[in-house]
Amino acid sequence: MLDFEICNEKDFSLLKGMDPFKSIAVPRPIAWISTVSKDGIDNLAPFSQFTNVGFNHPHVLFAAQLNAEGKKKDTVVNAEETGSFVHNMVTYDLREAMNVTSLSYAADVDEFEKAGLTKEESSIVKAKRVKESPIQLECQYVTTVVLPGADWKSGSHLVIGRVVCIHVDENYVLPNGKLDILKLRPLARLGYADYTSVTDVWEMRPQSMMNNPIPGGYSYMSPESLKLEATHKDL
């Protein structure tokens, strides 16, 4: 077992100098966040620390590190100043465009244009959507939690937004109403410069939901799926 104490002088020589931390909590879905500045400049950037943090009402969270100058990234500033952002799902087919938007650009640069992507107006929020993305979440900005870093340029901003509108391309919906994850092939980060995409899916239940209901367990089921015996009983 290799043991590494986390302190200011981290020694990962036993791993050829490679810090393993970002490759432990994996795979991580990528938040492809579009915003608009108070001056009307559209912005698009990916963040590899992203998750949902509530279901009713639905909320999402993404983490943005400070930029090279130790300041808030444009995405965070825009979300805070204009009150909205959009998460655009990154699929395998969009990997190259996402990579283009990961570069550091000046605040007046439009990453949509750099990556050759199409803007689409949102239904509720100010931020634009990526039309090429098959799933988008329009979010109203809620709050930012600041995590201090070990030095002046390593802090993090955890941005939380409430999902107010969901857009789903009907070409990625299965006959039973579920999202076709295998067709979507969502992209995920593995740490370092490594990525993966979802190519395998299986279903597993912890116990019978009919005889021993799990609190909240019915929340993802539709009226039609509740009629299916396999939904309720151990297989």
Side-chain angles (χ1 to χ4, degrees):
M1 178 68 71
L2 303 177
D3 302 309
F4 303 96
E5 182 179 352
I6 301 301
C7 58
N8 289 335
E9 300 297 327
K10 294 181 288 187
D11 180 8
F12 295 115
S13 57
L14 294 176
L15 294 174
K16 301 185 183 299
M18 302 294 285
D19 185 341
F21 177 73
K22 290 184 179 180
S23 198
I24 293 173
V26 294
R28 297 191 303 276
I30 298 169
W32 207 12
I33 304 298
S34 51
T35 56
V36 61
S37 72
K38 62 181 181 180
D39 298 321
I41 300 172
D42 294 310
N43 181 280
L44 180 64
F47 300 88
S48 67
Q49 294 170 307
F50 169 73
T51 188
N52 52 33
V53 286
F55 302 103
N56 190 18
H57 300 291
H59 289 73
V60 293
L61 174 154
F62 69 91
Q65 313 306 310
L66 297 177
N67 64 21
E69 299 176 345
K71 298 179 180 179
K72 287 182 182 180
K73 288 191 174 177
D74 296 334
T75 299
V76 178
V77 173
N78 293 346
E80 292 176 341
E81 292 185 345
T82 65
S84 72
F85 63 88
V86 176
H87 162 63
N88 307 271
M89 178 181 281
V90 183
T91 63
Y92 182 78
D93 291 341
L94 291 170
R95 64 194 184 282
E96 296 296 343
M98 180 279 298
N99 203 33
V100 171
T101 65
S102 69
L103 299 175
S104 296
Y105 298 101
D108 60 353
V109 173
D110 186 331
E111 287 85 358
F112 281 86
E113 296 178 359
K114 285 287 185 180
L117 295 164
T118 308
K119 299 177 187 178
E120 190 160 30
E121 294 289 338
S122 292
S123 299
I124 298 176
V125 305
K126 295 179 181 178
K128 304 290 196 310
R129 295 181 282 145
V130 176
K131 186 174 183 179
E132 289 81 358
S133 175
I135 296 178
Q136 306 120 13
L137 305 178
E138 294 186 29
C139 303
Q140 290 179 341
Y141 170 78
V142 174
T143 191
T144 302
V145 178
V146 180
L147 297 181
D151 53 46
W152 63 273
K153 61 178 182 179
S154 60
S156 300
H157 290 90
L158 311 184
V159 180
I160 300 173
R162 175 184 169 186
V163 179
V164 294
C165 190
I166 301 175
H167 302 272
V168 178
D169 184 336
E170 62 273 17
N171 293 309
Y172 294 89
V173 179
L174 294 167
N176 63 4
K178 290 184 177 181
L179 296 179
D180 191 340
I181 300 299
L182 293 181
K183 186 175 181 181
L184 285 164
R185 287 194 68 178
L187 207 65
R189 189 72 180 271
L190 297 176
Y192 316 118
D194 299 335
Y195 292 81
T196 189
S197 64
V198 179
T199 57
D200 191 22
V201 173
W202 70 90
E203 188 176 77
M204 183 167 58
R205 299 185 183 89
Q207 59 181 313
S208 168
M209 294 180 127
M210 175 176 282
N211 298 322
N212 300 291
I214 300 171
Y218 289 100
S219 63
Y220 65 88
M221 300 179 191
S222 69
E224 288 301 314
S225 66
L226 287 169
K227 298 176 183 178
L228 301 175
E229 184 176 17
T231 299
H232 301 286
K233 296 182 178 180
D234 293 327
L235 300 177

